Amino acid sequence: MLTLLSIKDFAVVKAAELEFGPGLTVISGETGAGKSLLVDALGFLSGLRADSGMVRHGAERAELSAQFDLADTAPARDWLREQELDEGDDCQLRRTLRADGGSKAWINGRPATLAQLAELAGLLVEIHGQHEHQALLSKSSQLALLDGYGGHEAALDDVAAAAAQWSTLLREREALSKQGDVSDRIAYLEHQLGELERESLAPEAIAELGASHRRHAHAAALIAACDAAFARLAGEDAPSMARQLQQSRIDLARVAEHESRLTDVDALLDAAAIQLDEAAALIERIREDLDVDPEQFEEMERRLGRIHDLARKHRVAPEQLAVQQEALAAELESLRGAGKRVAALDGEIESARGRWRTAADALSKARAKAAKALSRSTTSLIGELGMGGGKFEVALEPQNGERPDANGAERVEFLVSANAGQPPRPLRKVASGGELSRISLAIEVAALGGDLVPTMVFDEVDSGIGGAVAEIVGQKLRALGGKRQALCVTHLPQVAAQGHAHYRVSKAASDGVTQSAVERLDAKQRGEELARMLGGVEVSKEARAAAKRLLDNVN
């Protein structure tokens, strides 16, 4: 619901701020005062193309802002969340129009594109009046309104789910079909896998091969070092280290009774002797394992060479060859089963098409029933709104049904005949702005409760009517306001009297410049405004009495 509209330096409005509540809010004023500028401001906040001519003369830019309460507007909340622009249950649309022709837009204080502004505004407000503002001129909006009127949510979900499954299967078959004859690819993969499978490519196996290669490459140096170390430990050419340690322990034991700390030294020397024995045993075992074998070394070199060649060929590190092998094996398995999968897909696609057709047929029947009911109800209301002989039709246009369509098997076109004897024409081709507004009002009233957009704006919906018809228009707008927030720019007192709230737009010259001002009317001011609308510039007692009767007659 729209709660606040702020305008600055827009056309002849220097500054204005309007607060809105639920129900019907009417806006009146003298001809040329700028009543429709409020609708224009909402239009620009809904993404209309920037117009530098709307910037007030002498100002650098016009600033427009609208505040919405989203408590009962789940689609808008969901959209904001998806776009990461959400701010709880409140939403602000802001836009500037520069005198040089540029413009900027913000949603909840963050920069936004006009496309985003238009998409979000479409979930918040519908403007009925000028052709470029008309939400109901869009076929997609017409279809959404019919489905909302008929309560087709469950049927739409079934169609969308069936279409999604059908689309997924079609994409899979298309991807497989693009592969064409895969025999060459299969032969290539088999050859590649054969090369890889001949080697042990597990990372730990490659690491062990590298370590063995290094041992064999340095076998001579390792043997020499082990022999020299063992000779020193074993004492082949001189007293062994173990013998020297034992002698040291004997020498220290003779005097240990005079220094208690020598007991600790003896324990350390004993541990060192044990470790020296273990080290000598390990060196001996290592030496026994070492052997200079040129043939074995050459075989290792060949294996490492093959592994590095494979790594270069597949453009991966040697340690990644096992992963590459698994990937090629998976692709090969997929290609070997592609033919069978294509054959199976044909059957699955046909089944999915059948499920979609069943769901779409059920939706089509529901739409046909709702279309007849909406046509009858709207035609009746058109007559009440001063278009006697007029006729409204909801035409269902079948689609070919050869591709999955989440919206069903038809599109909708709203057709209107404004006068008896005239053939129905698409609503978007109705020339008269006044007729278009009244037809839109009739549709909205007939579909009351089925439209998810919370705020509807009617600009000069009462153009070209008067008397009893004007009173009916006002009553219909008030009824609409009971279900949705409605704003109406009007010049008829019969319509203005039906409002739950009333704003008056006036203009005056200040320093030779015409400016408009907007004022919310209290009960007394409202009576005076209705009297002015009834009697003109000179407000008579009779006009005031008539204005009072209008207000008293409002339910």
Side-chain angles (χ1 to χ4, degrees), residues 143-227:
L143 184 63
L145 187 142
L146 177 66
D147 286 332
Y149 172 75
H152 302 152
E153 291 82 5
L156 271 170
D157 288 343
D158 291 343
V159 171
Q165 185 181 29
W166 185 8
S167 295
T168 299
L169 293 171
L170 286 174
R171 285 194 297 270
E172 184 180 353
R173 186 176 67 178
E174 184 178 359
L176 290 174
S177 298
K178 283 181 178 179
Q179 293 177 348
D181 184 1
V182 296
S183 57
D184 290 343
R185 179 65 177 173
I186 289 176
Y188 171 78
L189 290 173
E190 288 175 339
H191 174 71
Q192 298 295 311
L193 276 173
E195 289 183 333
L196 292 170
E197 288 169 351
R198 283 192 288 272
E199 304 295 338
S200 297
L201 298 177
E204 55 271 20
I206 293 176
E208 176 57 30
L209 176 61
S212 295
H213 179 265
R214 287 193 297 276
R215 281 197 302 273
H216 279 75
H218 299 87
L222 286 168
I223 290 172
C226 287
D227 286 345

Side-chain angles (χ1 to χ4, degrees), residues 44-48 79 83 85 93-95 103-107 110-121:
F44 284 112
L45 285 168
S46 298
L48 286 183
W79 186 93
Q83 301 288 323
L85 295 169
L93 306 184
R94 179 170 172 257
R95 189 175 180 189
S103 76
K104 291 183 179 179
W106 295 264
I107 296 176
R110 281 164 268 184
T113 65
L114 286 188
Q116 287 177 311
L117 200 65
E119 191 172 349
L120 175 57

